[in-house]
mmCIF file of all heavy atoms in Angstrom:
data_model
loop_
_atom_site.group_PDB
_atom_site.id
_atom_site.type_symbol
_atom_site.label_atom_id
_atom_site.label_comp_id
_atom_site.label_asym_id
_atom_site.label_seq_id
_atom_site.Cartn_x
_atom_site.Cartn_y
_atom_site.Cartn_z
ATOM 1 N N ALA A 234 99.527 89.802 89.649
ATOM 2 C CA ALA A 234 100.704 89.237 90.292
ATOM 3 C C ALA A 234 101.699 90.354 90.563
ATOM 4 O O ALA A 234 102.137 91.055 89.639
ATOM 5 C CB ALA A 234 101.343 88.159 89.406
ATOM 6 N N ILE A 235 102.068 90.529 91.844
ATOM 7 C CA ILE A 235 102.946 91.593 92.253
ATOM 8 C C ILE A 235 104.359 91.056 92.445
ATOM 9 O O ILE A 235 104.568 89.975 93.008
ATOM 10 C CB ILE A 235 102.457 92.229 93.587
ATOM 11 C CG1 ILE A 235 101.076 92.875 93.372
ATOM 12 C CG2 ILE A 235 103.462 93.256 94.113
ATOM 13 C CD1 ILE A 235 101.079 94.063 92.425
ATOM 14 N N ASP A 236 105.335 91.827 91.981
ATOM 15 C CA ASP A 236 106.734 91.448 92.176
ATOM 16 C C ASP A 236 107.129 91.814 93.627
ATOM 17 O O ASP A 236 107.692 92.863 93.881
ATOM 18 C CB ASP A 236 107.604 92.215 91.188
ATOM 19 C CG ASP A 236 109.064 91.789 91.259
ATOM 20 O OD1 ASP A 236 109.334 90.725 91.852
ATOM 21 O OD2 ASP A 236 109.922 92.527 90.742
ATOM 22 N N GLY A 237 106.814 90.893 94.555
ATOM 23 C CA GLY A 237 107.100 91.131 95.968
ATOM 24 C C GLY A 237 106.521 90.047 96.828
ATOM 25 O O GLY A 237 106.216 88.945 96.355
ATOM 26 N N THR A 238 106.342 90.358 98.103
ATOM 27 C CA THR A 238 105.820 89.376 99.089
ATOM 28 C C THR A 238 104.337 89.660 99.345
ATOM 29 O O THR A 238 103.789 90.667 98.874
ATOM 30 C CB THR A 238 106.572 89.487 100.414
ATOM 31 O OG1 THR A 238 106.291 90.777 100.999
ATOM 32 C CG2 THR A 238 108.084 89.362 100.204
ATOM 33 N N PHE A 239 103.716 88.788 100.151
ATOM 34 C CA PHE A 239 102.332 89.050 100.560
ATOM 35 C C PHE A 239 102.250 90.362 101.341
ATOM 36 O O PHE A 239 101.303 91.134 101.162
ATOM 37 C CB PHE A 239 101.785 87.914 101.414
ATOM 38 C CG PHE A 239 100.498 88.298 102.104
ATOM 39 C CD1 PHE A 239 99.312 88.371 101.411
ATOM 40 C CD2 PHE A 239 100.499 88.634 103.472
ATOM 41 C CE1 PHE A 239 98.115 88.748 102.038
ATOM 42 C CE2 PHE A 239 99.306 89.010 104.095
ATOM 43 C CZ PHE A 239 98.126 89.064 103.378
ATOM 44 N N ASP A 240 103.223 90.629 102.210
ATOM 45 C CA ASP A 240 103.187 91.866 102.986
ATOM 46 C C ASP A 240 103.212 93.077 102.045
ATOM 47 O O ASP A 240 102.553 94.088 102.322
ATOM 48 C CB ASP A 240 104.379 91.927 103.935
ATOM 49 C CG ASP A 240 104.227 90.942 105.089
ATOM 50 O OD1 ASP A 240 103.101 90.747 105.551
ATOM 51 O OD2 ASP A 240 105.250 90.363 105.503
ATOM 52 N N ASP A 241 103.949 92.971 100.943
ATOM 53 C CA ASP A 241 103.942 94.062 99.958
ATOM 54 C C ASP A 241 102.539 94.239 99.363
ATOM 55 O O ASP A 241 102.039 95.360 99.227
ATOM 56 C CB ASP A 241 104.933 93.765 98.835
ATOM 57 C CG ASP A 241 106.377 93.781 99.300
ATOM 58 O OD1 ASP A 241 106.700 94.573 100.214
ATOM 59 O OD2 ASP A 241 107.181 92.991 98.764
ATOM 60 N N CYS A 242 101.906 93.126 99.033
ATOM 61 C CA CYS A 242 100.541 93.180 98.478
ATOM 62 C C CYS A 242 99.581 93.788 99.488
ATOM 63 O O CYS A 242 98.741 94.651 99.148
ATOM 64 C CB CYS A 242 100.064 91.778 98.097
ATOM 65 S SG CYS A 242 101.006 90.985 96.790
ATOM 66 N N GLN A 243 99.687 93.362 100.739
ATOM 67 C CA GLN A 243 98.824 93.883 101.792
ATOM 68 C C GLN A 243 99.044 95.377 102.008
ATOM 69 O O GLN A 243 98.095 96.145 102.213
ATOM 70 C CB GLN A 243 99.078 93.101 103.085
ATOM 71 C CG GLN A 243 98.137 93.431 104.225
ATOM 72 C CD GLN A 243 98.224 92.427 105.342
ATOM 73 O OE1 GLN A 243 97.277 91.675 105.599
ATOM 74 N NE2 GLN A 243 99.360 92.352 106.026
ATOM 75 N N ASP A 244 100.296 95.818 101.947
ATOM 76 C CA ASP A 244 100.595 97.236 102.119
ATOM 77 C C ASP A 244 100.018 98.060 100.971
ATOM 78 O O ASP A 244 99.534 99.192 101.181
ATOM 79 C CB ASP A 244 102.117 97.442 102.175
ATOM 80 C CG ASP A 244 102.712 97.018 103.502
ATOM 81 O OD1 ASP A 244 101.934 96.819 104.483
ATOM 82 O OD2 ASP A 244 103.949 96.854 103.574
ATOM 83 N N LEU A 245 100.051 97.517 99.759
ATOM 84 C CA LEU A 245 99.440 98.222 98.617
ATOM 85 C C LEU A 245 97.948 98.401 98.808
ATOM 86 O O LEU A 245 97.382 99.472 98.535
ATOM 87 C CB LEU A 245 99.727 97.448 97.324
ATOM 88 C CG LEU A 245 101.175 97.465 96.823
ATOM 89 C CD1 LEU A 245 101.368 96.422 95.720
ATOM 90 C CD2 LEU A 245 101.560 98.855 96.304
ATOM 91 N N VAL A 246 97.283 97.352 99.289
ATOM 92 C CA VAL A 246 95.858 97.441 99.536
ATOM 93 C C VAL A 246 95.556 98.488 100.598
ATOM 94 O O VAL A 246 94.674 99.345 100.442
ATOM 95 C CB VAL A 246 95.298 96.062 99.964
ATOM 96 C CG1 VAL A 246 93.854 96.191 100.430
ATOM 97 C CG2 VAL A 246 95.387 95.073 98.808
ATOM 98 N N LYS A 247 96.300 98.472 101.693
ATOM 99 C CA LYS A 247 96.077 99.425 102.780
ATOM 100 C C LYS A 247 96.357 100.856 102.312
ATOM 101 O O LYS A 247 95.669 101.801 102.729
ATOM 102 C CB LYS A 247 96.928 99.065 103.998
ATOM 103 C CG LYS A 247 96.443 97.821 104.722
ATOM 104 C CD LYS A 247 97.250 97.579 105.999
ATOM 105 C CE LYS A 247 96.699 96.403 106.766
ATOM 106 N NZ LYS A 247 97.448 96.145 108.020
ATOM 107 N N ALA A 248 97.368 101.016 101.458
ATOM 108 C CA ALA A 248 97.668 102.351 100.945
ATOM 109 C C ALA A 248 96.536 102.887 100.095
ATOM 110 O O ALA A 248 96.211 104.091 100.180
ATOM 111 C CB ALA A 248 98.962 102.312 100.138
ATOM 112 N N MET A 249 95.920 102.045 99.299
ATOM 113 C CA MET A 249 94.777 102.501 98.499
ATOM 114 C C MET A 249 93.614 102.879 99.370
ATOM 115 O O MET A 249 92.907 103.872 99.121
ATOM 116 C CB MET A 249 94.389 101.407 97.485
ATOM 117 C CG MET A 249 95.309 101.323 96.296
ATOM 118 S SD MET A 249 94.814 100.130 95.050
ATOM 119 C CE MET A 249 95.455 98.616 95.765
ATOM 120 N N PHE A 250 93.374 102.109 100.433
ATOM 121 C CA PHE A 250 92.310 102.453 101.368
ATOM 122 C C PHE A 250 92.644 103.743 102.119
ATOM 123 O O PHE A 250 91.755 104.473 102.533
ATOM 124 C CB PHE A 250 92.058 101.306 102.345
ATOM 125 C CG PHE A 250 91.114 100.259 101.813
ATOM 126 C CD1 PHE A 250 91.576 99.202 101.065
ATOM 127 C CD2 PHE A 250 89.750 100.358 102.058
ATOM 128 C CE1 PHE A 250 90.726 98.241 100.579
ATOM 129 C CE2 PHE A 250 88.883 99.394 101.577
ATOM 130 C CZ PHE A 250 89.358 98.332 100.828
ATOM 131 N N GLY A 251 93.942 103.982 102.326
ATOM 132 C CA GLY A 251 94.340 105.194 103.039
ATOM 133 C C GLY A 251 94.240 106.454 102.235
ATOM 134 O O GLY A 251 94.290 107.558 102.788
ATOM 135 N N ASP A 252 94.099 106.330 100.907
ATOM 136 C CA ASP A 252 93.913 107.497 100.017
ATOM 137 C C ASP A 252 92.410 107.777 99.950
ATOM 138 O O ASP A 252 91.687 107.162 99.160
ATOM 139 C CB ASP A 252 94.495 107.170 98.639
ATOM 140 C CG ASP A 252 94.478 108.360 97.703
ATOM 141 O OD1 ASP A 252 93.520 109.172 97.766
ATOM 142 O OD2 ASP A 252 95.409 108.493 96.892
ATOM 143 N N THR A 253 91.943 108.709 100.756
ATOM 144 C CA THR A 253 90.501 108.949 100.912
ATOM 145 C C THR A 253 89.834 109.273 99.585
ATOM 146 O O THR A 253 88.740 108.748 99.262
ATOM 147 C CB THR A 253 90.241 110.085 101.912
ATOM 148 O OG1 THR A 253 90.846 109.738 103.161
ATOM 149 C CG2 THR A 253 88.754 110.303 102.113
ATOM 150 N N GLU A 254 90.450 110.130 98.785
ATOM 151 C CA GLU A 254 89.868 110.525 97.516
ATOM 152 C C GLU A 254 89.726 109.332 96.564
ATOM 153 O O GLU A 254 88.677 109.104 95.967
ATOM 154 C CB GLU A 254 90.709 111.615 96.863
ATOM 155 C CG GLU A 254 90.136 112.112 95.534
ATOM 156 C CD GLU A 254 90.987 113.193 94.895
ATOM 157 O OE1 GLU A 254 91.963 113.647 95.532
ATOM 158 O OE2 GLU A 254 90.671 113.588 93.742
ATOM 159 N N PHE A 255 90.775 108.519 96.458
ATOM 160 C CA PHE A 255 90.764 107.359 95.580
ATOM 161 C C PHE A 255 89.758 106.317 96.094
ATOM 162 O O PHE A 255 88.983 105.747 95.310
ATOM 163 C CB PHE A 255 92.171 106.737 95.541
ATOM 164 C CG PHE A 255 92.299 105.576 94.615
ATOM 165 C CD1 PHE A 255 92.509 105.757 93.258
ATOM 166 C CD2 PHE A 255 92.213 104.261 95.085
ATOM 167 C CE1 PHE A 255 92.642 104.673 92.384
ATOM 168 C CE2 PHE A 255 92.321 103.172 94.247
ATOM 169 C CZ PHE A 255 92.543 103.388 92.865
ATOM 170 N N ARG A 256 89.753 106.147 97.379
ATOM 171 C CA ARG A 256 88.840 105.163 98.003
ATOM 172 C C ARG A 256 87.390 105.505 97.725
ATOM 173 O O ARG A 256 86.594 104.637 97.368
ATOM 174 C CB ARG A 256 89.127 105.126 99.501
ATOM 175 C CG ARG A 256 88.206 104.244 100.303
ATOM 176 C CD ARG A 256 88.648 104.318 101.758
ATOM 177 N NE ARG A 256 87.864 103.467 102.628
ATOM 178 C CZ ARG A 256 88.199 103.194 103.889
ATOM 179 N NH1 ARG A 256 89.309 103.707 104.386
ATOM 180 N NH2 ARG A 256 87.451 102.418 104.617
ATOM 181 N N GLN A 257 87.045 106.762 97.884
ATOM 182 C CA GLN A 257 85.647 107.176 97.686
ATOM 183 C C GLN A 257 85.262 107.180 96.209
ATOM 184 O O GLN A 257 84.150 106.740 95.854
ATOM 185 C CB GLN A 257 85.442 108.554 98.306
ATOM 186 C CG GLN A 257 85.547 108.578 99.840
ATOM 187 C CD GLN A 257 85.417 109.958 100.415
ATOM 188 O OE1 GLN A 257 85.461 110.981 99.671
ATOM 189 N NE2 GLN A 257 85.263 110.052 101.721
ATOM 190 N N LYS A 258 86.174 107.622 95.368
ATOM 191 C CA LYS A 258 85.883 107.701 93.933
ATOM 192 C C LYS A 258 85.591 106.330 93.337
ATOM 193 O O LYS A 258 84.666 106.184 92.535
ATOM 194 C CB LYS A 258 87.061 108.356 93.211
ATOM 195 C CG LYS A 258 86.856 108.467 91.688
ATOM 196 C CD LYS A 258 88.042 109.137 91.024
ATOM 197 C CE LYS A 258 87.838 109.250 89.533
ATOM 198 N NZ LYS A 258 88.989 109.907 88.853
ATOM 199 N N HIS A 259 86.359 105.328 93.785
ATOM 200 C CA HIS A 259 86.220 103.998 93.197
ATOM 201 C C HIS A 259 85.466 103.021 94.113
ATOM 202 O O HIS A 259 85.410 101.828 93.812
ATOM 203 C CB HIS A 259 87.618 103.454 92.846
ATOM 204 C CG HIS A 259 88.330 104.263 91.824
ATOM 205 N ND1 HIS A 259 87.948 104.312 90.492
ATOM 206 C CD2 HIS A 259 89.389 105.114 91.950
ATOM 207 C CE1 HIS A 259 88.759 105.128 89.827
ATOM 208 N NE2 HIS A 259 89.624 105.629 90.685
ATOM 209 N N ARG A 260 84.906 103.526 95.200
ATOM 210 C CA ARG A 260 84.045 102.753 96.109
ATOM 211 C C ARG A 260 84.730 101.448 96.548
ATOM 212 O O ARG A 260 84.211 100.356 96.361
ATOM 213 C CB ARG A 260 82.698 102.442 95.432
ATOM 214 C CG ARG A 260 81.963 103.643 94.921
ATOM 215 C CD ARG A 260 80.645 103.299 94.271
ATOM 216 N NE ARG A 260 80.766 102.278 93.236
ATOM 217 C CZ ARG A 260 81.209 102.522 92.005
ATOM 218 N NH1 ARG A 260 81.566 103.729 91.644
ATOM 219 N NH2 ARG A 260 81.318 101.536 91.130
ATOM 220 N N LEU A 261 85.939 101.599 97.136
ATOM 221 C CA LEU A 261 86.718 100.441 97.538
ATOM 222 C C LEU A 261 86.067 99.696 98.705
ATOM 223 O O LEU A 261 85.511 100.313 99.608
ATOM 224 C CB LEU A 261 88.134 100.843 97.936
ATOM 225 C CG LEU A 261 89.018 101.516 96.882
ATOM 226 C CD1 LEU A 261 90.456 101.583 97.394
ATOM 227 C CD2 LEU A 261 88.955 100.774 95.547
ATOM 228 N N ALA A 262 86.161 98.379 98.663
ATOM 229 C CA ALA A 262 85.699 97.523 99.750
ATOM 230 C C ALA A 262 86.712 96.396 99.918
ATOM 231 O O ALA A 262 87.512 96.128 99.010
ATOM 232 C CB ALA A 262 84.304 96.967 99.453
ATOM 233 N N ALA A 263 86.679 95.725 101.081
ATOM 234 C CA ALA A 263 87.710 94.749 101.407
ATOM 235 C C ALA A 263 87.126 93.361 101.660
ATOM 236 O O ALA A 263 86.042 93.236 102.244
ATOM 237 C CB ALA A 263 88.490 95.195 102.651
#
């Protein structure tokens, strides 16, 4: 549960996908 709106949650998800190293290391999928 995030202290914010859905748009905040969506932005957090997109930011994680935008971090190439983090995305590849943890094999992110959507």
Side-chain angles (χ1 to χ4, degrees):
I235 297 295
D236 185 16
T238 67
F239 167 75
D240 289 323
D241 293 327
C242 296
Q243 187 167 246
D244 286 344
L245 289 167
V246 171
K247 289 185 176 181
M249 283 184 278
F250 275 88
D252 186 323
T253 303
E254 181 180 354
F255 183 84
R256 175 180 182 168
Q257 293 177 348
K258 179 179 180 180
H259 298 289
R260 305 180 307 281
L261 299 191

